Amino acid sequence: MTAEHEITLVVNGAARRARVPGRRLLSDCLRHDLGLTGTHVGCEHGVCGCCTVLLDGEPVRSCLTLAVTVDGREITTVEGLAGPGGLSPVQRAFAECHALQCGFCTPGFLCTVTALLRERPAPTDEEIREGISGNLCRCTGYQNIVKAVHRAAELLAEES
Amino acid sequence: MKPPPFSHHAPRDLGEALEVLAGAGPRGKVLAGGQSLIPMLNMRLAAPEHVIDINRLEELDTVEAGPDGVTVGALARHARVARAGVHPLLGQALRLVAHPVIRNRGTVVGSLVHADPAAELPAALAVLGGSVRLARAGAAPRDVAAAEFFTGPMESALRPGELAVSARFPALPPRTGTAFTEVSRRHGDYALAGVCAVVTLDDDLRVASARLACIGVGPVPLVVDLGADWKRAADAVRERAEPDGDVHATAAYRLHLAGVLARRAVEQAVERAIGRAAREAAA
């Protein structure tokens, strides 16, 4: 009764095929079927935000998405954020502002913030806090993450 | 923390979806945004044999605003409906639903069908007197009014084999203001208690009618019709609410909160109604 499904995901620009049961979470498909372990799995019920990836450019919880549901869609994981020139502006800002300590939550933050800055290139403190409210970080106390988002906005503005 | 095994169905159109649902009956569960269903699967609180995934039914990804109100299709995500900016109360409720990232996937109709007694959207539908349209294979769709739709905690009038295809949120009359207030332990969590209010003024800008819907204080949204007596909001809610206590808050604290939030919501709605009346008079 639980047939496997042949799916194709465009992950970080490359078409990837996988054979998955209906119940395979996108987070597990990325990590176990495709070997992309940059996407971290924390709570597996949508609270912590570690597993956030971009689905057609929009941040979503990969632990609350079935892989079969997104057959044929474009996924960007943390592995796909850096360009040919190295780290992305958001990644550089996080490093520069010390916006991570243990790093477990960081892939989710980077994906969320990348999308946030596309929608709001110069966000206010309040918009940043609302934007990252679905991502938990137990180390930083968030202050440096908010700073990093402002810094990333500057870097993006300089480069455009 | 992985979903139990199930058969996944991905129908391509509404007719096919209704056929599959009819075949699955009580062993089937509809997957739209999945922001409530997948946690329940992951935690093994639900174990349907068949998951009917409606994410390919683009015909249900609709937000239609008309003079009578807004009709939201079953695949319209929270974020999209909020961006459409088609109904003040719907916008105020959506800002309180979980987090932005969850709202990118979660659907308005899914939140209604999930019928969590602490969720915002059922209260918004209830206070406005809206309805949900239910479709089944081989029969005409039926519209169920909010007052009959929510039947208990996480329970609705949806029968096995039925699909909630849309929800209708009636438009606000002139000189009307709305507000949604809630208190939760953490930003984006389900509220300990919350209240939404709809207030309509008469020609002399006095309150003609005030209606509230409270969440977190009973098995379904509690609708309180205050008539013109809006200043009794806190007492009226405390007389009728019967909250349960749990690890997050005692029943007495929830009752206290509901009263305070009712007063705040109705005052804010009155203020907005005055503002809107002034704008309407100027237009």
Side-chain angles (χ1 to χ4, degrees), chain B residues 11-22 52-54 57 163:
Chain B
R12 295 273 162 186
D13 59 55
L14 181 58
E16 189 189 345
L18 295 179
E19 291 294 328
V20 177
L21 258 174
I52 296 93
D53 185 337
I54 62 167
L57 306 190
L163 176 67

Side-chain angles (χ1 to χ4, degrees), chain A residues 10-146:
Chain A
V10 180
V11 184
N12 302 329
R16 304 284 303 266
R17 293 172 75 98
R19 208 177 153 72
V20 297
R23 65 169 172 159
R24 179 79 89 241
L25 300 172
L26 176 59
S27 47
D28 288 336
C29 178
L30 292 169
R31 289 176 58 85
H32 304 310
D33 297 309
L34 304 181
L36 292 166
T37 53
T39 299
H40 289 175
V41 170
C43 72
E44 280 194 321
H45 63 286
V47 173
C48 75
C50 289
C51 70
T52 304
V53 299
L54 303 181
L55 170 65
D56 295 334
E58 267 192 342
V60 302
R61 298 277 198 259
S62 61
C63 80
L64 297 189
T65 308
L66 297 179
V68 280
T69 299
V70 294
D71 183 15
R73 311 274 298 269
E74 276 188 40
I75 314 286
T76 307
T77 67
V78 67
E79 289 96 337
L81 295 182
L87 295 180
S88 76
V90 175
Q91 289 172 314
R92 270 182 283 138
F94 267 62
E96 202 180 296
C97 298
H98 197 65
L100 62 145
Q101 288 178 34
C102 85
F104 194 85
C105 68
T106 311
F109 270 99
L110 293 172
C111 289
T112 303
V113 170
T114 298
L116 173 69
L117 291 174
R118 263 184 219 146
E119 205 166 310
R120 294 184 187 279
T124 62
D125 266 9
E126 199 189 332
E127 285 166 344
I128 293 172
R129 285 173 195 279
E130 171 67 15
I132 62 171
S133 62
N135 292 70
L136 299 183
C137 170
R138 303 288 76 176
C139 303
T140 62
Y142 303 101
Q143 303 299 330
N144 285 349
I145 294 179
V146 173

Side-chain angles (χ1 to χ4, degrees), chain B residues 45-259:
Chain B
L45 296 171
E49 264 177 61
H50 299 275
V51 167
I52 296 93
D53 185 337
I54 62 167
N55 280 279
R56 284 177 177 70
L57 306 190
E58 277 166 27
E59 61 201 285
L60 299 182
D61 185 7
T62 53
V63 183
E64 287 159 15
D68 298 338
V70 181
T71 302
V72 178
L75 202 54
R77 322 248 174 216
H78 297 136
R80 179 186 168 196
V81 177
R83 267 198 302 270
V86 284
H87 196 294
L89 181 61
L90 199 47
Q92 289 152 9
L94 283 165
R95 270 197 288 281
L96 298 171
V97 175
H99 304 288
V101 175
I102 299 286
R103 298 199 289 267
N104 281 341
R105 287 300 289 169
T107 63
V108 167
V109 174
S111 294
L112 297 173
V113 172
H114 187 59
D116 191 299
E120 294 83 5
L121 292 169
L125 191 79
V127 79
L128 293 168
S131 60
V132 181
R133 176 161 292 185
L134 307 176
R136 71 158 57 241
R142 62 185 182 116
D143 289 324
V144 181
E148 282 89 49
F149 185 73
F150 303 106
T151 56
M154 331 294 268
E155 281 173 21
S156 75
L158 185 87
R159 297 183 193 132
E162 279 183 326
L163 176 67
V165 286
S166 64
R168 198 177 148 273
F169 293 84
L172 301 174
R175 298 183 302 277
T176 299
T178 63
F180 209 130
T181 58
E182 67 174 41
V183 168
S184 57
R185 286 277 180 196
R186 285 164 296 270
H187 180 82
D189 271 14
Y190 277 112
L192 297 178
V195 179
C196 59
V198 178
V199 171
T200 302
L201 308 178
D202 64 17
D203 289 334
D204 299 321
L205 301 189
R206 284 176 310 216
V207 172
S209 77
R211 244 165 92 86
L212 309 173
C214 314
I215 59 173
V217 295
V220 297
L222 170 67
V223 176
V224 179
D225 217 324
L226 296 168
D229 201 4
W230 63 282
K231 292 192 173 162
R232 281 202 72 248
D235 290 338
V237 163
R238 286 187 186 126
E239 281 159 20
R240 296 191 48 195
E242 293 179 335
D244 286 327
D246 59 25
V247 66
H248 304 293
T250 62
Y253 179 55
R254 280 209 165 90
L255 198 60
H256 167 76
L257 269 185

